[in-house]
Amino acid sequence: MTLIADRPGPGAARPYRFPQVVRRTVAGGQVVAAHLPGQNLAVALLLLDAGAGREPTGKEGLGAVLAKALEEGTAQRDATAYALAIEGLGTELVIGLDWDSFQVSVQVPVERLSAAVELLAEAVRTPKLDPDDVRRVRDDEATALRMDWANPGPRADAALRADLFGAGNRWGRPMYGDPESVAALDVEDVTVFHSEWFIRPGTLIVAGDLERLDLDALGATAFAGTGGGPVEQGGPIEVPTRSGRRIILVDRPGSVQSTLRLGHPSPHRAHPDHVPMTLAGTVLGGAFTSRLNHLIREVRGYTYGIRGDFASSRRFGRFGVSSSVQTAVTAPAVVEAVGEITRTRETGVTEEELAVARSWRAGQLSVELQSPRAIAGALTTLVVYDLPDDYHARLRESLLAADVAQVSAAAATHLRPEELTLVVEGDAAVIRDELVATGLGELVEDAS
């Protein structure tokens, strides 16, 4: 046996290249693909403009219920037969829902992709939607939400979203609904939502070796039997700004910790400041080495972790901070967090901090965008947010080129500590007076 005394050094970094994007119109729908030469796995993802933002106000949770109902069989096969067919290809339906889109995907060896897309389309276009199955899925989803909402966090998240965007707006309600909204859904709600949004062609995303795939045939299969013209996506939502902070107290009697959710509205995903905003958020709270985590965890010892970042969708965004802290230090933790946000807005970032954030964010791309599924997800970003085809090819350079002046300017423009909503979920009897004494803003108690 030979022992190696010296650890091998790192090799030279290889250049990162995002594959060329191919677009074509097929059978009334759009196919967007990336060529991955020599790759034996391929991904097909059907992207529909049927995200949570399309749900009527008061019917929150429709998309989540429908996502589960798609697994209950189709007009051609019952649930068991469909499961056997999809498993026979060595794959499964992966279903995702966000504010802007509904996504259903499969990943299989290249030679099986045509058959997999046929089964995918069968589930999406012609689900069985048996009333008994829909009611059972709805009840299961409502039960799961009740269990989730019994934990700290969901009530605070809902209170923050309602205050930022208005409880009367769909985007001011939880993305997946709440236990009451889901339990109130009926079978007709689900079938109407499907008929309105799931028969439209949408976009088929394909990532694989395109020399071994027929994109026209795949598109024809995915879009067969569909109809309906394009729908208005709507522009960025104008969110009224509010002068002055507000503290919302969500009572959780006897809690030994307080859950913190701090936030304010921020720009939508396609905003030109997205890259410097992302880097500013990384320095402030988006990494373990961030300012917030260093101060609140390492210096003060108030928490195991705290995170702050910008998150955005097609029409709106928000800056948010989340953490859980010991009940006894709730007020000082909130004060320190607001102070760190204020300092970052006023003083910007340093070159040393930015160098770490740039390197980490740019380095992630080379790791994250390796698999066909990751490439398919990146193509989805282009479609949903109407970004140029070379966006990902240029993203690494954009991250590495961002300088202190740009990132500090983004922090100064898009961090608004004076407009923060500060949601605290904890034992109100213990923390109320100390929160009032901080003077950070008017305190109101959540009635939900």
Side-chain angles (χ1 to χ4, degrees), residues 142-204:
T143 298
L145 283 172
R146 290 189 189 98
M147 295 172 64
D148 186 42
W149 280 58
N151 297 315
R155 289 175 62 204
D157 291 331
L160 177 61
R161 178 163 291 280
D163 192 67
L164 297 187
F165 302 111
N169 301 312
R170 177 60 189 96
W171 48 88
R173 304 281 296 160
M175 182 188 299
Y176 301 111
D178 58 38
E180 290 71 31
S181 70
V182 171
L185 297 174
D186 59 33
V187 173
E188 184 179 7
D189 293 327
V190 177
T191 56
V192 168
F193 189 71
H194 178 271
S195 65
E196 185 171 1
W197 297 107
F198 283 64
I199 310 301
R200 299 177 185 273
T203 301
L204 182 67

Side-chain angles (χ1 to χ4, degrees), residues 244-245 262-264 280 283-285 291-292 295-296 306 308 310 319 321 333-349 353 407-422 438-441:
R245 286 183 291 264
L262 287 58
H264 61 65
V283 170
L284 175 58
R291 289 179 173 184
L292 281 170
L295 176 63
I296 308 298
I306 182 170
F310 290 94
F319 168 76
V321 173
V334 174
V335 171
E336 296 276 20
V338 172
E340 197 62 48
I341 297 168
T342 302
R343 181 172 78 88
T344 302
R345 194 273 304 272
E346 293 178 348
T347 66
V349 302
E353 291 172 321
V407 176
S408 295
T413 301
H414 301 295
L415 287 176
R416 301 198 299 274
E418 71 282 354
E419 298 175 14
L420 282 166
T421 294
L422 315 172
T438 65
L440 288 175

Side-chain angles (χ1 to χ4, degrees), residues 152 155-156 248-260 325 327 330 423-432 435:
R155 289 175 62 204
I248 298 178
L249 181 56
V250 179
D251 191 17
R252 190 174 181 83
S255 178
V256 298
Q257 287 190 325
S258 295
T259 298
L260 310 183
V325 301
T327 295
T330 300
V423 178
V424 181
E425 180 181 2
D427 192 333
V430 176
I431 62 179
R432 180 187 294 108
L435 288 172

